[in-house]
Amino acid sequence: MNIVDALILGSLQGLTEFLPISSSGHLVLGQAILGVKQPGNEFEILVHLGTLASVLVVFIDDIKSLFFSLTSKKTQTFILFILIGTLPAVAIGLGFKDIFVSLFENVTAVGGALIFTGLVLYTSAHVKRKDKEHTFLSSILIGCAQAVAIIPGISRSGMTICMALFLGLSAKEAARFSFLLAIPAISGAGLLTAIEVNGTYPLPVTVAIAGLISSFAVGVLALKWLLGWLEQGKFHYFGIYCLIVGLITMVI
């Protein structure tokens, strides 16, 4: 992997981590197109750190608000909802890890998963907008949606936001919960990957920096873009894109 590859793949990760079009699926396709076969997991750790930093920057006000109101019953309940929503991904991710890893090498499976993502996203256009409150049940169901998105080609943000919309949460609250839920999810995925790194294939410093910075910068822009489109009711447009890419992937 060279600097150009790192910039492209880092940007791809930053763009697709938050847009509901599956970062894992696009990284599989991106590496296949570029012919990149990077041994070890160092690069994946770096780009995940970059996108995690994007969430922290964009939602810094929400994070500070939660931190400075930890004694509030409402804040404690919300944090509990985040923890509950994280559990399904932890259980399923660890329990079926080998199966999910094998899917990363199956481009056809990624194409099918993208089609599934597209159908779910497009269906969200027909949901009546409501403004319900979070419950323990909604947190569990959104967490299950996040767990399903471990499959490459199924979008984490797409599944969690759509599930929240289906359950009656407002578009703004659906996005807020989805991306705050991403913090422990991305952190956990990065930590597990880091534990598995054996240090045999260290990345060149320039390649590492290129991947980290590109994933962070593009991640910030992508996250702000998505929030705008969600507020404007254009979320389902991403479903059309996923359907097209998924069908093309299946055909070729």
Side-chain angles (χ1 to χ4, degrees), residues 138-217:
S138 69
S139 300
I140 292 172
L141 292 176
I142 294 171
C144 289
Q146 176 170 258
V148 171
I150 297 174
I151 298 172
I154 297 183
S155 166
R156 193 208 68 83
S157 62
M159 292 301 103
T160 52
I161 291 175
C162 282
M163 179 60 78
L165 293 175
F166 294 155
L167 292 172
L169 275 68
S170 67
K172 182 177 181 181
E173 183 56 30
R176 175 173 176 261
F177 189 79
S178 171
F179 291 115
L180 289 178
L181 188 64
I183 295 175
I186 297 175
S187 300
L191 178 60
L192 286 176
T193 306
I195 292 173
E196 295 176 354
V197 171
N198 55 27
T200 306
Y201 304 101
L203 283 170
V205 175
T206 52
V207 171
I209 293 175
L212 181 64
I213 294 178
S214 59
S215 62
F216 166 71

Side-chain angles (χ1 to χ4, degrees), residues 11-30:
S11 298
L12 187 62
Q13 167 71 18
L15 181 66
T16 58
E17 178 68 44
F18 303 116
L19 298 187
I21 55 179
S22 175
S23 64
S24 57
H26 278 73
L27 278 179
V28 170
L29 298 178

Side-chain angles (χ1 to χ4, degrees), residues 78-194:
F78 184 80
I79 293 175
L80 180 59
F81 286 159
I82 292 290
L83 294 176
I84 290 173
T86 302
L87 293 178
V90 174
I92 294 176
L94 293 177
F96 300 92
K97 180 183 175 184
D98 292 338
I99 295 176
F100 293 132
V101 169
S102 67
L103 291 175
F104 277 86
E105 300 176 359
N106 191 330
V107 175
T108 301
V110 170
L114 281 168
I115 292 174
F116 173 78
T117 296
L119 291 172
V120 174
L121 291 174
Y122 194 76
T123 302
S124 70
H126 305 289
V127 176
K128 291 184 178 180
R129 298 300 176 95
K130 300 177 182 178
D131 194 14
K132 291 186 177 180
E133 295 290 330
H134 276 294
T135 63
F136 284 103
L137 179 60
S138 69
S139 300
I140 292 172
L141 292 176
I142 294 171
C144 289
Q146 176 170 258
V148 171
I150 297 174
I151 298 172
I154 297 183
S155 166
R156 193 208 68 83
S157 62
M159 292 301 103
T160 52
I161 291 175
C162 282
M163 179 60 78
L165 293 175
F166 294 155
L167 292 172
L169 275 68
S170 67
K172 182 177 181 181
E173 183 56 30
R176 175 173 176 261
F177 189 79
S178 171
F179 291 115
L180 289 178
L181 188 64
I183 295 175
I186 297 175
S187 300
L191 178 60
L192 286 176
T193 306

